[in-house]
Amino acid sequence: MANEHVCPCSAGCPLQKVMNAIGGKWKMSILCSLSNDGPTRYNDLKRKMNGISNTMLAKCLKELEEDGLVSRHEYMEVPVRVEYEITGSVRSLTPILAELAVWGSSSLEPEKPAEKTDPAAEENE
């Protein structure tokens, strides 16, 4: 059927794949922090992510690394130093995320309720 509508978010949808990789409560904040601050140690990143647990941060970093969005660098020092940084694919995503932020700030702000007028005040005018 030529006129049949196919949802763009059906199986194999690239947008759904992206949302699986960067969606959730913490991943965007992690990517934003690493994008702005460059290579960052785990504890420094945790301090910037107000409210995230160690378990959740470790899980998100592992998933971001598996998806090729974050790289983990381990330096054989005493004590061992580990830093995380964004990969080139996130660098190319950064302008898109910046535009998304602009859209969000202009389009998703709550609408202000109309000012209520006092009928008694209008009668005195």
Side-chain angles (χ1 to χ4, degrees):
M1 293 182 188
N3 293 334
E4 185 176 332
H5 176 72
V6 177
C7 177
C9 291
S10 59
C13 174
L15 184 56
Q16 191 62 45
K17 185 176 179 181
V18 169
M19 293 310 296
N20 289 339
I22 65 173
K25 183 175 180 178
W26 298 106
K27 288 182 180 179
M28 291 296 295
S29 296
I30 292 168
L31 292 174
C32 183
S33 179
L34 293 175
S35 180
N36 288 330
D37 300 337
T40 306
R41 295 178 76 168
Y42 181 91
N43 285 332
D44 294 334
L45 188 56
K46 180 160 182 351
R47 277 190 281 279
K48 293 173 186 172
M49 303 289 109
N50 191 22
I52 193 170
S53 67
N54 278 322
T55 304
M56 183 55 70
L57 179 57
K59 179 180 182 278
C60 288
L61 286 169
K62 183 177 181 182
E63 290 173 0
L64 289 167
E65 186 178 5
E66 288 171 354
D67 289 330
L69 302 175
V70 168
S71 60
R72 180 182 188 270
H73 303 284
E74 192 171 308
Y75 300 92
M76 293 302 162
E77 302 171 351
V78 178
V80 174
R81 175 172 52 108
V82 177
E83 291 181 341
Y84 295 89
E85 68 178 317
I86 60 170
T87 62
S89 60
V90 175
R91 284 185 195 90
S92 66
L93 178 63
T94 303
I96 297 166
L97 296 178
E99 285 298 316
L100 193 57
V102 168
W103 177 83
S105 65
S106 65
S107 301
L108 297 178
E109 289 189 10
E111 292 185 29
K112 296 178 183 175
E115 288 186 33
K116 294 182 181 177
T117 57
D118 182 9
E122 289 178 2
E123 290 176 8
N124 293 335
E125 290 179 4

